[in-house]
Amino acid sequence: MELRHLEHFVAVAEEQHFTHAAERLRVAQSGVSASVRALERELGADLFLRTTRRVGLTDAGRALLVEARRTLACAAAAREAVAAVQGLMGGTLSVGTEQCMGTVDAAALLASFHARHPQVEVHMEQAGSGRLLEQVRRGELDVAFVVHDGLHEGVRLRRVAEEPLMLLCRADHPLAGIGGPVPAARLAGEVFVDLHPDWGARRAADLAFADAGVARKVALQVNDVYTLLDLVSRGLGAAVVPRPVTLKEQARGLSAVPLAGPTRWKVAVAVPAAGQPTAAARALLAMIDHQDC
């Protein structure tokens, strides 16, 4: 039984699809299928129930999945133990982050990490927090900087920062420059520009209005902070954003007013709940603990 076969099996089990598993592993689908067939022949049991749309685990497959994950984790720990004795750190480090978090300078952090550990191959992915949390849960990312709204199954969160939400609008908006926080109820009927629902900032804004029992109209959805700021500056709507966004150069000339209510924008470092972080991930986490992100 080869570790490669177990890696391919686990990927298919988690993706519930051979093609998606192959894409995740960056190997040919035929190779993944061959690995699973080899395991089934060796074990004398079918591991998956196959349909035209997806695959599901059999009872034998579910039993193997637990042990396969444990075996792969032990193999990784063994490699790290040998590397530690030799004073080396290698392998890969996969990091995820949302765009323009403000409280986390991922590029600077990874540059510093690379300077200390040049033998580690670093990968970075930028996406919404919803997707990043799922990738961490599935073990596709070692570490991710995310915006969260509480506990997430299969993921451990380490707090990095917390910021208030702000109403961002043009200087000629009726609420521009008011002295105190604006309640969500006062924004009923306002037209909003916002990010797509997978973004942590959007989730925080939605939660703030839901907590206040206020429905809001999001007329324009974008996937880029700078486009959002441009749309607000052109008078196409107001936006609810975390405070760091209001400090960007592109937000100059816009008015930022605190949004009343308990909901805040919370940034954390996410790692898989199962198993121990890799040596590279632990080194990155240690750097985070000893510097201001």
Side-chain angles (χ1 to χ4, degrees):
M1 187 177 297
E2 299 181 21
L3 290 177
R4 172 174 56 89
H5 292 168
L6 293 178
E7 290 172 351
H8 292 182
F9 163 74
V10 170
V12 175
E14 292 177 346
E15 296 291 340
Q16 299 182 344
H17 200 284
F18 278 87
T19 300
H20 295 167
E23 291 172 351
R24 165 177 157 183
L25 294 165
R26 297 185 177 89
V27 300
Q29 181 178 333
S30 59
V32 175
S33 298
S35 290
V36 171
R37 286 196 300 270
L39 277 174
E40 290 178 325
R41 286 195 300 270
E42 183 172 351
L43 296 171
D46 291 334
L47 300 175
F48 293 105
L49 298 170
R50 297 162 172 84
T51 69
T52 56
R53 292 183 176 272
R54 53 172 285 183
V55 295
L57 287 168
T58 62
D59 289 343
R62 282 190 287 272
L64 177 61
L65 182 59
V66 174
E67 297 304 326
R69 285 172 169 161
R70 182 179 298 143
T71 299
L72 292 173
C74 289
R79 286 191 292 268
E80 289 184 18
V82 173
V85 169
Q86 296 174 322
L88 301 173
M89 184 190 300
T92 62
L93 175 67
S94 298
V95 180
T97 183
E98 271 205 3
Q99 181 198 38
C100 301
M101 300 200 78
T103 57
V104 176
D105 189 343
L109 180 64
L110 292 181
S112 179
F113 178 88
H114 178 67
R116 297 185 190 185
H117 309 288
Q119 66 275 31
V120 177
E121 184 178 340
V122 177
H123 300 278
M124 187 180 85
E125 177 164 348
Q126 193 177 82
S129 287
R131 177 178 171 182
L132 295 176
L133 285 164
E134 178 61 18
Q135 288 180 288
V136 170
R137 185 189 69 79
R138 286 157 46 176
E140 296 173 17
L141 293 173
D142 298 308
V143 176
F145 296 102
V146 299
V147 179
H148 70 96
D149 52 9
L151 299 176
H152 292 268
E153 184 179 355
V155 174
R156 291 200 302 269
L157 297 169
R158 297 171 57 166
R159 182 182 178 276
V160 172
E162 187 173 313
E163 294 280 354
L165 294 174
M166 312 283 285
L167 174 71
L168 193 63
C169 57
R170 280 170 44 126
D172 58 359
H173 191 280
L175 294 176
I178 66 171
V182 58
R186 193 169 174 182
L187 300 175
E190 185 76 42
V191 175
F192 286 96
V193 179
D194 212 327
L195 299 162
H196 284 279
D198 194 46
W199 282 62
R202 169 66 182 271
R203 292 183 174 192
D206 286 344
L207 181 61
F209 281 83
D211 285 345
V214 177
R216 69 173 183 139
K217 178 182 178 182
V218 178
L220 296 93
Q221 292 188 128
V222 299
N223 211 30
D224 178 84
V225 169
Y226 299 110
T227 302
L228 180 144
L229 294 173
D230 186 39
L231 292 173
V232 173
S233 69
R234 294 177 185 274
L236 292 172
V240 173
V241 297
R243 189 181 66 87
V245 173
T246 70
L247 305 178
K248 293 186 177 296
E249 178 67 24
Q250 292 79 1
R252 181 177 294 181
L254 297 176
S255 180
V257 183
L259 187 69
T263 304
R264 294 174 68 84
W265 183 73
K266 301 176 182 178
V267 178
V269 180
V271 297
Q276 293 295 319
T278 65
R282 291 198 300 272
L284 182 70
L285 294 171
M287 290 176 61
I288 295 168
D289 289 341
H290 291 91
Q291 74 174 51
D292 183 359
C293 292

